[in-house]
Amino acid sequence: VLLVAYLGYVGLGAGVLQALERPAEVQAAQHLLQQHWELLANHTCLQGPALQRLIEGIIQAYKSGITLQGNTTSLGRWDFSGSFFFSISAITTIGYGNLSPSTVAGRIFCILFALFGIPLNLVLLNEIGQLMLLGVQHCAHRLEEVFHWQKKASLLIKTCALVTGLLLFLLLPPLLFSDKEGWSYEEGFYYSFVTLSTIGFGDYVIGMNPDRTYPGWYKNVISLWILFGMAWLALVIKFCINFLE
C-alpha cells in the first residue's frame, strides 16, 4: 500500500509538472530555432556547421565556469572561495551540477573527498540538530518551571523554534539573494528550499553571475547558512516523517 501511495504521489507530480512546464519547453525550443535561422539568414557569411561548433564550444565552456565578456573571458569559479563553496555542495550532497571537476585528478580527488566528507557532514548535521533540539527542550523546561506550564510550554517553544527557523533559513535569505544576485523574492525562496533540502537542481546558484561583483564574505556566510539550515530543515522533515508514520 505504501509503495502504491508513493508511486501515485510521484505520478501526480509528474503529471502536474508536465502540464505546467511542457508548453514553456516547446515555446523555448521554437524561439531558439527561430533565432538560429534568423542569424544564418541575416549573416550569410556564417555556415551552419561552424555556428553549431561555436555554440557547442560556448556551452562546454559555460559548464566549466567560463563566460565571454567582450574580448576577454571571466574566471573565478575555481578560486578558493568558489572551490570552498563547491566542496560544501559536494559533501552536503546538494550537487548543483553547474560546476564539476574537468581533470582526471580532480575527479578522483572528488570521489575520495566525498567518500569521507559525506559521513563527516552527516555527523556534524546530526550534532547541530541535537544541539538545536536540546535548546528547544531546555527553553520549554524553563518555561514549565517559571510559569508552571506543561503541554503549553512545549507547544509554544516548538512553534517559536519553527517560526525562527522559517525566518532565518527560508524567509529572510531571499532578501539577501535579491540584493546580491538580482533575483526576485520568489526565485530566492525557491533557491533556499531547493538548497537546504539538498535537491540542488542547479538552475539557481549563488555567486555565478559574471556581471556582478560579490563581497569576499558572501559565499562563506552562505556556506554556514547551508549547514545550519540543513540541520534545521532535517528536524522539520524528521517531524513530518514521524507524523506520516
Side-chain angles (χ1 to χ4, degrees), residues 144-166:
E144 289 176 4
E145 290 180 344
V146 174
F147 298 101
H148 303 289
W149 292 341
Q150 293 181 353
K151 293 183 178 180
K152 289 183 179 179
S154 178
L155 180 61
L156 178 62
I157 292 300
K158 287 180 179 178
T159 303
C160 290
L162 178 63
V163 172
T164 303
L166 281 172

Side-chain angles (χ1 to χ4, degrees), residues 216-229:
W217 53 265
Y218 183 52
K219 286 186 177 180
N220 298 328
V221 169
I222 298 303
S223 298
L224 291 176
W225 166 76
I226 289 175
L227 280 178
F228 286 93

Side-chain angles (χ1 to χ4, degrees), residues 176-184 187 209 212 214:
L176 176 64
F177 300 141
S178 297
D179 178 57
K180 299 301 180 184
E181 304 290 343
W183 299 340
S184 66
E187 290 171 326
N209 190 341
R212 288 182 171 266
Y214 300 99

Side-chain angles (χ1 to χ4, degrees), residues 2-213:
L2 183 59
L3 178 60
V4 171
Y6 177 85
L7 293 176
Y9 189 76
V10 174
L12 175 64
V16 172
L17 286 171
Q18 181 183 15
L20 293 174
E21 297 296 330
R22 183 65 176 176
E25 179 187 33
V26 173
Q27 184 178 2
Q30 292 174 346
H31 182 65
L32 177 63
L33 282 176
Q34 182 181 357
Q35 286 185 314
H36 179 265
W37 291 117
E38 285 179 355
L39 183 65
L40 289 176
N42 294 331
H43 303 277
T44 54
C45 59
L46 291 175
Q47 296 181 350
L51 179 61
Q52 185 65 30
R53 287 194 298 270
L54 175 62
I55 293 172
E56 291 174 355
I58 292 173
I59 293 173
Q60 188 61 40
Y62 181 79
K63 289 181 178 179
S64 301
I66 301 171
T67 56
L68 286 172
Q69 291 182 315
N71 294 325
T72 62
T73 55
S74 66
L75 297 173
R77 291 194 180 187
W78 285 113
D79 58 9
F80 184 80
S81 178
S83 300
F84 183 84
F85 188 73
F86 172 80
S87 300
I88 289 287
S89 68
I91 64 175
T92 54
T93 69
I94 294 173
Y96 290 113
N98 69 309
L99 190 62
S100 58
S102 59
T103 64
V104 175
R107 289 168 181 165
I108 294 174
F109 174 77
C110 190
I111 293 171
L112 297 174
F113 180 73
L115 185 63
F116 294 98
I118 291 173
L120 177 62
N121 177 73
L122 291 175
V123 170
L124 176 62
L125 289 181
N126 183 61
E127 290 297 321
I128 294 174
Q130 290 300 320
L131 286 175
M132 289 180 176
L133 196 57
L134 284 174
V136 170
Q137 292 173 348
H138 178 72
C139 291
H141 182 66
R142 292 292 297 171
L143 276 180
E144 289 176 4
E145 290 180 344
V146 174
F147 298 101
H148 303 289
W149 292 341
Q150 293 181 353
K151 293 183 178 180
K152 289 183 179 179
S154 178
L155 180 61
L156 178 62
I157 292 300
K158 287 180 179 178
T159 303
C160 290
L162 178 63
V163 172
T164 303
L166 281 172
L167 286 172
L168 291 178
F169 302 120
L170 287 178
L171 298 179
L172 292 180
L175 299 177
L176 176 64
F177 300 141
S178 297
D179 178 57
K180 299 301 180 184
E181 304 290 343
W183 299 340
S184 66
Y185 185 85
E186 176 271 327
E187 290 171 326
F189 184 83
Y190 167 78
Y191 167 78
S192 299
F193 181 79
V194 166
T195 294
L196 298 185
S197 60
T198 72
I199 296 172
F201 290 123
D203 48 352
Y204 289 91
V205 184
I206 60 110
M208 296 299 173
N209 190 341
D211 298 326
R212 288 182 171 266
T213 302

